[in-house]
Amino acid sequence: MPVSAIMTVAKNSEATAEVNVMAESESIIIPPCDLWSDEPPLESDRHRDQIELLLACLKWWWRERSDFYATGNLTIYFSPEHITTRDFRGPDFFVVLGTENRPRKSWVLWAEQGKYPNVIIELLSNSTAKVDKGLKKILYQDTFRTPEYFWFHPDTLDFQGFRLMGGQYQPLDPNTQGWLWSQQLELFLGVHNSQLRFFSEDQQLVPTPDERAQAAQQQVQAERQQRELAEKRVEELLARLKELGDDSDA
């Protein structure tokens, strides 16, 4: 075969290969990243209030950090095929560490460097307890590989936590107060006034911004009362000294 013919065949082969690559690339469907959350309504006011409480406390506690994302009742899209089958899950509360702290419509795994939550908390109800303790627990253990999983029932106060060890969730042992230690958050979780709350390592309640403001106001009032009491005692002492001076003059 002449050299010119060989070159023509080679060029045709390269062109065909290029066309095939282009066709394959065009057939690849890139899943969307800007997806809205698609979660059902919360079961009750207690469930909503509990989520808001956890978020308010943790965000205040980590107010100087920007390397985490915490949210509640938000869909986690962890597989493109689940977009069509609608087989996706949205934990009641979850925290992802080592990520950008910014608002999101949902948590889309392929848009978040494949990061799954580090901590998940499910709020049980009579209608969801079986799924939360069964199907979701298995999903978080085997697929998400989430290091820590907790559940809490706002009505019955059923509270339990698990840590992933050797590929399996193992129950966490409570301390003397009944609290469970989260290695991921470096905080205790425990029931306080019938609500799930965070406690610091030195066992201090992590306050909400409102609670902190009220505590600061009470501190100001207490200091003012102490100051007024001290001023009153000084006035009484001066009056007593004056009386003694008048008596000695007489």
Side-chain angles (χ1 to χ4, degrees), residues 3-19:
V3 174
S4 60
I6 295 174
M7 293 179 63
T8 301
V9 171
K11 289 181 178 179
N12 290 339
S13 298
E14 291 176 358
T16 301
E18 184 176 351
V19 170

Side-chain angles (χ1 to χ4, degrees), residues 145-210:
R145 311 298 291 170
T146 293
E148 293 176 345
Y149 174 47
F150 301 85
W151 67 55
F152 174 68
H153 199 309
D155 297 319
T156 67
L157 307 186
D158 179 11
F159 173 50
Q160 195 165 352
F162 305 86
R163 182 170 297 127
L164 196 65
M165 293 184 287
Q168 300 291 321
Y169 275 141
Q170 301 298 329
L172 293 172
D173 294 326
N175 64 5
T176 55
Q177 291 92 342
W179 306 342
L180 302 177
W181 175 251
S182 169
Q183 290 181 348
Q184 297 293 309
L185 303 179
E186 296 184 332
L187 291 168
F188 285 103
L189 285 91
V191 181
H192 174 76
N193 290 338
S194 299
Q195 291 179 310
L196 188 63
R197 298 293 301 264
F198 294 116
F199 298 85
S200 62
E201 188 173 2
D202 59 357
Q203 302 188 1
Q204 299 299 309
L205 179 69
V206 174
T208 65
D210 288 343

